[in-house]
Amino acid sequence: MDIHAYWRAVFDQQQEEIEKFFHENAFVEWHNTNEHFTVGEFIRANCEYPGKWDGEIERIEEINDLLVTVVHVFSPDKGLSFHATSFIQIEDGRIRSIDEYWGDDGSAPQWRLDKRIGIPIRQ
């Protein structure tokens, strides 16, 4: 499976292209918000998202039939920024399931800044 093409289709909100990557009875789970989606529901959640977005793959790991990706997703003006870690189960070259974890990007909380622990990864 071409994971780069999959993420490009997701970033570009290309409904027909996204669908091609999935088995008919596949599912997606977003654990942060306790949501389970059919493929159709997952595609709607992505393609009907209010506004446009873009992204880049930061890391890919492959373990047998499991792809793990870390992607940076952001609005075109960079006003919104998120990271998603996806555990993508592949069967016969198509997605069987995805367990996905999303987090908002932002500054460290004030209590850690006050303790002066840690340093920024990126400036």
Side-chain angles (χ1 to χ4, degrees):
M1 189 185 114
D2 184 348
I3 195 64
H4 293 277
Y6 165 75
W7 276 112
R8 181 48 42 209
V10 170
F11 296 147
D12 292 343
Q13 297 170 306
Q14 297 175 338
Q15 179 176 341
E16 296 80 21
E17 287 301 310
I18 297 170
E19 191 170 15
K20 294 176 186 177
F21 289 96
F22 286 89
H23 280 277
E24 180 181 347
N25 295 321
F27 62 90
V28 177
E29 293 184 339
W30 287 349
H31 294 269
N32 299 62
T33 51
N34 193 31
E35 294 175 275
H36 175 93
F37 299 103
T38 65
V39 173
E41 292 169 334
F42 172 73
I43 291 171
R44 282 189 64 200
N46 277 279
C47 295
E48 295 178 16
Y49 180 85
K52 298 292 180 194
W53 50 328
D54 201 355
E56 58 192 11
I57 298 171
E58 292 188 350
R59 184 173 179 171
I60 300 170
E61 298 292 336
E62 187 172 352
I63 307 162
N64 300 318
D65 291 334
L66 179 69
L67 290 174
V68 180
T69 63
V70 177
V71 296
H72 180 203
V73 180
F74 47 86
S75 60
D77 67 358
K78 307 277 172 109
L80 298 173
S81 181
F82 311 92
H83 274 82
T85 302
S86 305
F87 295 83
I88 304 169
Q89 190 66 49
I90 305 296
E91 183 179 300
D92 300 324
R94 294 172 72 197
I95 297 170
R96 171 60 61 201
S97 66
I98 302 177
D99 287 287
E100 204 159 68
Y101 301 85
W102 285 79
D104 296 346
D105 292 339
S107 300
Q110 191 60 48
W111 71 268
R112 283 203 305 268
L113 294 173
D114 292 345
K115 291 188 176 293
R116 300 176 193 252
I117 57 176
I119 60 171
I121 297 169
R122 291 174 291 284
Q123 296 298 330

